[in-house]
Amino acid sequence: MNNMPQEILTKIYQMLVAPLFKLGETPVSIGSIVQLILSLLFVLVLTRACKNVLKQRLLVRLRIDEGNREAIATIISYSFGTLGLIVVLQTTGFNLASLAVLAGGLGVGIGLGLQDATKNFVSGLTLLLERKLKVGDFVELDTLSGYIREVSIRSTLIRTRDGAYVVVPNSKMAENRIVNWSYDGFKSRIKIPVGVSYDSDPVVVTEILLKSAYMEKSVFHEPTPEVIFKGFMDNSLGFELWVWVNRIDREPQIKSSLNFIIEYNLRQQGINIPFPQLDLWFRNPEVFTSSLLSRSNGQDTLQRVHNGQDTAQRVQQELAKKVSKPLAIRDLLRQVTYFHNFTDIELRQLIEIGYRKRLTESSVLFREGDPGDAFYIILSGSVEVFVEKIDKQLTTLQTGNFFGELSLMLGIPRTASVRALEDSILFVINNKGFEKLLHEQPELAEVIIEELGKHQEELSERQEQLRAMGLVDAAEDDKNPVAWVRKRLKNLFSL
């Protein structure tokens, strides 16, 4: 009985070392196969670890760019893996000469079955060695465009603008024509087609288009923007605005911004953008007129009644539309002192950085002492402002009212709580959005400082309040409230 476990272990050992077949002169057993598999897995793990260490640590410290880091790390890890495979085969007792004989016998079959894999592997090595396409490049392949995220043995991983990841075989990347928009940087040229009515002055149109180009932050002043007169179209004079931009991968956003600016500037100058139209000419108009009159005489009275009813219905619909017309955020923003001189283009940027927040009845938006990190406009519904400690209502704010702008701009904690009296929708600009706006519109900071300077007594009170809370940095503190505001804006929003 005591020898039974030992006998079982002995039999298991004999089964593991018993030769199943011979590979050349080398016997192959279950044990040697298991040892080989475990060794190969170990080499694979070490290879991946080697690649990650090189790509994410060592090469980063050497300040090598992302694309070259990927290529160097991949090639070194492949070499390390190949060397590890040879070492494993030798140490486990496999004769490489025997494997070469076997590989030669199966070469035709392997070549036919794995020709695509081999093709992709060789193409991958070509991409890595040539470095015409690197990780981080923005490329366009047929209808696909995106950023190269990884070049592996078999395929290349591309991340599209929409956030999808597309796996493309390396052979397609090596053989097809690919546009690399960021080969030597993201600077590139985009073209904006514009059509204006035939009564427009081409010189004035040129001036407006160039002015619009310089209003967009992403457009380079050198090379200078150009306006191309494309010719006389069916319904308009055709122009193209050519501009060089700093980020070609943001082409849709830049084109959208330029289109907004161009439309606004053309409208300000009274220049129309025509819509496609078709004129119909009759060769014998008198025949058509007499035929139409003969058919309509018998129905004139009834038609007038219908027309009268239709007119009344249209008037009622127009009145209903005017009554139920929602509040425009643009008009509400203009009521805020700091934004009332903004153009439509600047207000559009302000609207873009904001978002809508829905409040259910009785829900609390913020409480006393919370960070002043957002500014709000009530689009629908109403809220109450109250002091929670003494349970006292201070005021009620209705649709169209705004609040919280001073707390946002000066980083002042909330001095009261706000709660929804009914289901409400608020337009919100938070501190991240406001910081983005100040970086895109540096002149806005001075406008805000100028407006705040008109209320120095209130500024002094706010400054004393923050001092009492220990929230005023010694470097920004100043006896002059306006100078203090300027320093505080710079500190809060990294200007």
Side-chain angles (χ1 to χ4, degrees), residues 238-277:
F239 291 85
E240 267 190 358
L241 174 63
W242 291 5
V243 295
W244 288 85
V245 298
N246 56 0
R247 295 286 303 193
I248 188 61
D249 54 327
R250 297 190 69 252
E251 179 184 6
Q253 294 92 326
I254 296 173
K255 278 188 173 181
S256 173
S257 179
L258 281 170
N259 284 331
F260 273 113
I261 296 172
I262 290 169
E263 189 278 333
Y264 171 78
N265 287 335
L266 290 176
R267 179 159 40 87
Q268 292 295 104
Q269 292 294 327
I271 295 177
N272 295 321
I273 301 175
F275 54 86
Q277 57 185 353

Side-chain angles (χ1 to χ4, degrees), residues 130-134 137-139 179-186:
E130 287 188 347
R131 295 189 294 116
K132 299 289 179 60
L133 300 173
K134 306 183 295 295
D137 283 349
F138 183 74
V139 298
V179 179
N180 188 348
W181 288 104
S182 56
Y183 182 73
D184 58 353
F186 284 87

